[in-house]
Amino acid sequence: MSTSLFGNYEIDPKIFDEAFSPHKKQRIQYEKLFEELKNYSFTDINDLNEYARRSFINQGITFNVYSDQDTGIERIFPFDIFPRIIPQQEWQQIEKGVLQRNMAINLFLKDIYNEKKILKDKVFPTDLLFSCEFYNKHMLNFIPNGEIYTHVCGTDLIKHSDGEYYVLEDNARCPSGVSYVMSNRDTMKKIFSHVFSRHQVQSVHEYPDQLLATMQSVAPVGVDDPVCVLLTPGVYNSAYYEHAFLALNMGIQLVEGRDLFVDKNFVYMKTIYGPKRVDVIYRRVDDDFIDPLVFRPDSRLGVAGLMSAYRDGNVTLMNAPGTGAADDKAVYTYLPDIIKYYLGEEPIIKNVQTFRCEKDDELKYVLENIEKLVIKPVDQSGGYGILIGSNSTKLERENMKASIKNDRRKYIAQPIMSLSVHPTYIDETSKYEQRHIDLRAFTLMGNDRQYVLKGGLTRVALSRGNLMVNSSQGGGSKDTWVLG
Amino acid sequence: MEYKISYHSHNQYFNTVKDGIFEFLVLPENNEDQLVSTWKIKNSLLEEPFYYFNIFGFRVCRIKASKPFSELSLEMKVKVQKNTRGITNGLLWDTQKCHDLLQDDIFKIDQHLFLQTTPFTSLSETNHHLFPSLQADQHPYKYLSHLNTTIHQFFTYTPNITDVHTKVNDLIELKKGVCQDYAHLMIAIARLNQIPARYVSGFLNQGKGYLGAAKMHAWLECYVPGAGWIGFDPTNHLKTDENYIKVAHGCDYKDCAPIKGVIKTNGKQITDHEVVVHAQ
């Protein structure tokens, strides 16, 4: 190694390293960056990381962590300045792959809430669909404006030791994280400007414009200049920073439920000039809370009457309610079939092999091989409730087995995928070490328009060997460069 | 037969309500057996009602308060023509043909809403054996008539023991309840036996001495192959006829609640309603 920064970088040849070959040869897309880093010492890197940290605090970029004991601890999202670089060709495959998935997911949602052909053709099991917690009868026999359900989707991808990308899950409800992509980039440009300027990196800053254009494209029929708003649950939500960030950057109002009301099936925003009609709502409030007349009557976060206004076509909600039926982890296992059924195509990005505990033979396999598997509840996100067989105690495994047997529909299992690793600067050891990463790609679907954010969010597991990259599990992030 | 029905609901709040929105699902529907000839809804807030059709196609009346209030009453007056349809054609299909349809996958998909359990109608497995199940050589109509009797006998009609949140598992030990509880339990058992069943709300002829006639009543409809949806009233141990005026149906009580409200207030409230049904 020419640069001293990586002289003591240790490589585990069994895992795919994004920046180095197993023989510690720099991968081609990183060569220029390594060349630049020759002039840096560990002290420089330490300083830069510290600047980055301060910059995040000053911008107020924080998130809350939920767990059993505490409610709402505010944290900054740990950031590592060494960027992840994705070559253009590789990115094009990702982009095609996530678009293909999202098109299929939209057709699936339209079908399951209307004709239900995929059930009648026995491609997708009826019982599985109707037992989905997020299958929403209030979406039945109704098609949203523009026939779009998942306007914003976050697809979580990993690269396995075979060097191929796999989809880990689709986040079709209210995926978050996109603000970090833009904030990470801002920070990188500020503190690493000359390195950045010597690479041709695809921009991420058009995302708010693309999101606004997506909103406008699905406005109710006959509305030329739609009023768009972002509906947040409020300052105590873990992603409030993101809600504020997106509203600000789109130039639209950030509202809470109490700022809106429904009159005669039209939605209005209270303003100092009187009520103003609202046409499109990017809602970051969960289905259960959006309308107390229809869903949870105790919700103070929603708007009474919103669902009937929506079903009348007078307002567009994005994402549509009931999209959770498509990101149920048991439904995920059918995504390759769903793609073939609606698009007649082979999936461009693979699914991770998944065992459904509700099937007898698969349950047997899971119970016998639990140390080799990751067990996930089908209805939770953010890494909550997950058991990684190899990193668990016997007691934890036995408890999990009991939970599975108690509610088989609730659990799926996957082989422990070896997530790729990336050089990441570690404070405690003052050197670069391999850390596992994944990638959340953000896709926007509007009326006759689609967009994939070039880069997405690279999440980093911050302790050695840890496979959990979720921010709520103490993960960090990196800027993600797609080369142009 | 013609009915004159008046429904009067009264809500009183001890503290002023600053913001309120209410939905009433009380207007009888039009169907093969009944026709609403005239109807009128008045509210004490003098707000202009807004009407829309819910996901099952029933007309909902929404009242939005434009100023603070401490009292809301709503009065509906409606005239309904009612005729009776015989249910003998329910027995036209032979038993095997009925079973074949109930087991048909496409049929199950189309009826899924009325075959799924809901929080109200989910009966734990340990309680299944308490009720008869549909036998392979039994006509579903005969089975349902038998089940109607079983459910009727299971309960002792007792007001104020259960409330609108009571679930079927709670009823097993209580063995007491009102029309809503009878309906939920029979729906639960019918669905366990793969017979589509839906919750129905409506009014009863008050001249017959039926249980539950003083207020809005609840019963259920089951899908009998060949005959279609047939009404059963386990509370009164009857099949529905011209004495039953249907308002709405849904998966369970939640879809048929006569009144729903979202209000900003604190403190106590009193809610009540009266029903007068005149047969002419």
Side-chain angles (χ1 to χ4, degrees):
Chain A
M1 274 307 302
S2 45
T3 151
S4 60
L5 284 179
F6 296 92
N8 57 358
Y9 183 69
E10 288 167 34
I11 289 193
D12 178 346
K14 294 191 294 294
I15 314 172
F16 188 93
D17 191 303
E18 297 282 345
F20 292 99
S21 76
H23 309 294
K24 217 176 174 181
K25 192 172 174 302
Q26 296 164 7
R27 293 196 193 273
I28 190 159
Q29 68 269 28
Y30 285 87
E31 276 175 359
K32 215 162 155 187
L33 180 64
F34 279 124
E35 191 59 33
E36 294 286 343
L37 287 173
K38 267 186 187 166
N39 311 322
Y40 286 78
S41 68
F42 280 119
T43 319
D44 297 331
I45 296 295
N46 230 335
D47 289 347
L48 289 175
N49 271 327
E50 186 51 36
Y51 288 141
R53 216 162 286 153
R54 275 187 223 154
S55 154
F56 282 115
I57 292 173
N58 292 341
Q59 289 175 72
I61 304 173
T62 59
F63 69 96
N64 294 327
V65 174
Y66 307 116
S67 72
D68 294 340
Q69 285 82 32
D70 353 84
T71 41
I73 309 166
E74 216 174 353
R75 290 198 194 157
I76 47 165
F77 199 34
F79 176 72
D80 182 69
I81 56 160
F82 190 171
R84 180 216 201 133
I85 304 179
I86 301 176
Q88 197 187 20
Q89 258 191 326
E90 197 172 306
W91 178 258
Q92 278 166 356
Q93 280 302 102
I94 295 177
E95 192 164 315
K96 272 190 214 150
V98 296
L99 272 176
Q100 180 195 48
R101 275 182 98 84
N102 280 303
M103 308 247 266
I105 284 172
N106 267 285
L107 292 167
F108 174 69
L109 287 164
K110 183 183 163 195
D111 187 26
I112 61 171
Y113 287 121
N114 293 281
E115 292 179 70
K116 305 184 189 66
K117 280 203 255 180
I118 197 166
L119 304 179
K120 293 178 180 175
D121 288 341
K122 298 191 187 345
V123 173
F124 191 91
T126 303
D127 294 343
L128 179 68
L129 179 68
F130 296 140
S131 61
C132 280
E133 185 191 342
F134 296 105
Y135 186 77
N136 192 328
K137 73 179 180 207
H138 294 277
M139 288 302 290
L140 281 167
N141 307 317
F142 165 74
I143 297 173
N145 296 321
E147 303 201 355
I148 301 295
Y149 291 77
T150 58
H151 309 82
V152 184
C153 190
T155 313
D156 290 347
L157 302 153
I158 55 155
K159 197 189 260 181
H160 189 45
S161 48
D162 59 7
E164 289 220 45
Y165 284 99
Y166 289 79
V167 175
L168 218 47
E169 58 186 61
D170 304 281
N171 295 274
R173 280 173 280 161
C174 289
S176 61
V178 74
S179 59
Y180 297 124
V181 176
M182 283 170 278
S183 310
N184 286 354
R185 181 60 54 82
D186 280 342
T187 303
M188 283 299 271
K189 278 185 175 168
K190 245 185 268 170
I191 63 177
F192 233 16
S193 53
H194 56 285
V195 174
F196 187 84
S197 61
R198 272 172 230 172
H199 283 80
Q200 265 210 319
V201 180
Q202 301 267 7
S203 161
V204 294
H205 281 100
E206 72 280 14
Y207 183 84
D209 290 342
Q210 291 288 343
L211 181 58
L212 184 60
T214 302
M215 293 183 80
Q216 289 163 337
S217 79
V218 292
V221 181
V223 176
D224 291 335
D225 188 11
V227 174
C228 303
V229 299
L230 193 153
L231 175 65
T232 174
V235 293
Y236 298 108
N237 185 268
S238 67
Y240 182 72
Y241 165 76
E242 177 158 305
H243 306 161
F245 177 95
L246 288 173
L248 182 72
N249 282 284
M250 283 191 280
I252 67 173
Q253 294 293 328
L254 177 66
V255 299
E256 292 183 28
R258 60 186 174 193
D259 301 320
L260 302 179
F261 66 93
V262 173
D263 189 26
K264 300 188 171 46
N265 270 0
F266 284 91
V267 181
Y268 297 88
M269 165 168 56
K270 297 170 190 167
T271 78
I272 51 168
Y273 306 107
K276 185 168 184 183
R277 195 182 138 183
V278 170
D279 305 297
V280 185
I281 303 176
Y282 179 26
R283 50 100 184 187
R284 297 289 295 256
V285 173
D286 290 344
D287 286 8
D288 249 6
F289 293 89
I290 55 172
D291 184 348
L293 282 172
V294 177
F295 304 112
R296 286 181 58 152
D298 57 341
S299 169
R300 289 277 171 269
L301 306 176
V303 188
L306 187 58
M307 277 307 283
S308 64
Y310 176 59
R311 285 186 63 103
D312 243 8
N314 296 335
V315 68
T316 305
L317 296 176
M318 57 185 262
N319 287 352
T323 53
D327 74 5
D328 181 289
K329 291 185 181 65
V331 173
Y332 158 91
T333 61
Y334 286 92
L335 234 287
D337 306 296
I338 290 171
I339 291 169
K340 277 178 223 156
Y341 183 75
Y342 293 108
L343 304 175
E345 296 169 8
E346 287 299 316
I348 295 168
I349 314 177
K350 289 182 191 163
N351 254 29
V352 178
Q353 187 190 11
T354 306
F355 303 96
R356 291 186 282 265
C357 295
E358 63 185 326
K359 292 196 161 181
D360 291 342
D361 50 336
E362 299 188 13
L363 173 75
K364 187 166 176 279
Y365 179 84
V366 170
L367 295 176
E368 283 168 7
N369 296 279
I370 195 162
E371 311 78 34
K372 290 187 255 169
L373 299 167
V374 184
I375 315 291
K376 297 176 175 178
V378 295
D379 52 356
Q380 294 203 37
S381 58
Y384 293 98
I386 286 181
L387 177 100
I388 296 177
S390 56
N391 288 3
S392 61
T393 64
K394 189 154 194 294
L395 180 67
E396 285 169 336
R397 287 195 295 274
E398 290 308 316
N399 287 343
M400 181 52 94
K401 283 187 193 175
S403 308
I404 295 172
K405 282 189 253 177
N406 191 34
D407 190 355
R408 291 169 56 179
R409 166 69 178 84
K410 197 184 162 187
Y411 294 94
I412 55 139
Q414 293 171 336
I416 300 170
M417 296 298 280
S418 119
L419 276 62
S420 61
V421 289
H422 198 286
T424 302
Y425 183 75
I426 302 302
D427 277 344
E428 291 77 36
T429 54
S430 303
K431 61 172 188 166
Y432 275 96
E433 293 184 17
Q434 291 184 324
R435 284 295 181 270
H436 289 292
I437 58 167
D438 80 346
L439 177 67
R440 174 170 287 187
F442 293 92
T443 306
L444 299 177
M445 307 271 294
N447 197 353
D448 287 326
R449 64 194 318 287
Q450 295 136 7
Y451 165 81
V452 182
L453 177 63
K454 287 184 170 40
L457 182 66
T458 293
R459 299 184 295 182
V460 189
L462 285 185
S463 56
R464 186 200 296 267
N466 190 345
L467 294 169
M468 304 276 252
V469 292
N470 310 69
S471 58
S472 39
Q473 303 295 333
S477 76
K478 280 177 175 292
D479 194 13
T480 309
W481 292 1
V482 173
L483 298 180
Chain B
M1 191 157 0
E2 193 187 54
Y3 289 100
K4 260 189 180 168
I5 301 167
S6 80
Y7 165 94
H8 188 249
S9 94
H10 187 76
N11 296 0
Q12 197 174 351
Y13 303 93
F14 284 70
N15 294 323
T16 306
V17 181
K18 288 188 199 75
D19 219 345
I21 183 164
F22 295 88
E23 287 191 348
F24 293 89
L25 184 53
V26 292
L27 197 67
E29 70 154 350
N30 285 322
N31 60 34
E32 284 183 278
D33 305 323
Q34 67 183 42
L35 182 71
V36 174
S37 45
T38 62
W39 60 279
K40 204 153 109 189
I41 289 181
K42 286 195 295 194
N43 68 87
S44 62
L45 301 177
L46 305 176
E47 300 289 354
E48 186 195 339
F50 173 73
Y51 296 96
Y52 76 93
F53 293 93
N54 73 8
I55 57 166
F56 296 101
F58 299 102
R59 196 194 296 258
V60 176
C61 168
R62 184 186 288 160
I63 309 280
K64 190 178 175 346
S66 55
K67 45 192 175 296
F69 62 97
S70 57
E71 221 180 308
L72 163 71
S73 57
L74 177 128
E75 190 181 53
M76 175 190 71
K77 284 191 186 299
V78 59
K79 273 189 199 164
V80 182
Q81 315 285 334
K82 184 89 201 185
N83 55 39
T84 321
R85 176 174 49 139
I87 44 172
T88 43
N89 59 347
L91 306 169
L92 284 178
W93 280 29
D94 70 41
T95 303
Q96 191 51 48
K97 201 174 167 195
C98 290
H99 282 262
D100 289 347
L101 183 70
L102 293 177
Q103 291 312 315
D104 180 70
D105 290 330
I106 306 276
F107 175 79
K108 286 191 206 172
I109 292 165
D110 289 336
Q111 296 296 343
H112 72 97
L113 276 182
F114 305 117
L115 285 167
Q116 293 302 127
T117 58
T118 66
F120 275 112
T121 62
S122 162
L123 189 67
S124 55
E125 228 166 303
T126 50
N127 291 324
H128 291 185
H129 72 278
L130 295 171
F131 303 94
S133 49
L134 174 63
Q135 302 301 308
D137 57 354
Q138 194 178 17
H139 195 283
Y141 182 72
K142 288 212 175 97
Y143 167 72
L144 289 165
S145 304
H146 174 52
L147 184 60
N148 202 27
T149 308
T150 313
I151 301 293
H152 176 72
Q153 289 168 351
F154 182 81
F155 283 104
T156 309
Y157 187 85
T158 318
N160 303 323
I161 292 259
T162 56
D163 61 24
V164 294
H165 307 292
T166 306
K167 315 279 187 286
V168 288
N169 278 327
D170 308 329
L171 299 170
I172 299 303
E173 276 196 27
L174 278 176
K175 295 192 168 66
K176 287 175 183 164
V178 292
C179 54
Q180 172 185 317
D181 307 311
Y182 285 73
H184 276 154
L185 187 58
M186 183 157 163
I187 288 167
I189 312 293
R191 289 182 187 166
L192 277 176
N193 287 282
Q194 318 257 321
I195 300 173
R198 58 196 194 191
Y199 186 97
V200 181
S201 67
F203 301 101
L204 280 180
N205 184 343
Q206 290 178 331
K208 298 281 180 175
Y210 294 155
L211 288 171
K215 304 260 161 157
M216 272 192 88
H217 190 53
W219 59 93
L220 70 149
E221 287 173 344
C222 294
Y223 193 91
V224 177
W229 292 98
I230 306 262
F232 293 89
D233 179 6
T235 310
N236 288 298
H237 197 197
L238 289 169
K239 280 151 202 145
T240 60
D241 56 14
E242 72 274 13
N243 295 307
Y244 289 76
I245 302 113
K246 177 173 168 180
V247 168
H249 68 241
C251 298
D252 58 25
Y253 169 78
K254 199 178 176 215
D255 292 330
C256 302
I259 175 169
K260 279 185 194 176
V262 176
I263 53 168
K264 274 190 200 140
T265 186
N266 46 42
K268 278 209 327 197
Q269 50 174 296
I270 299 172
T271 304
D272 203 5
H273 77 271
E274 291 143 34
V275 170
V276 179
V277 180
H278 274 304
Q280 288 174 324

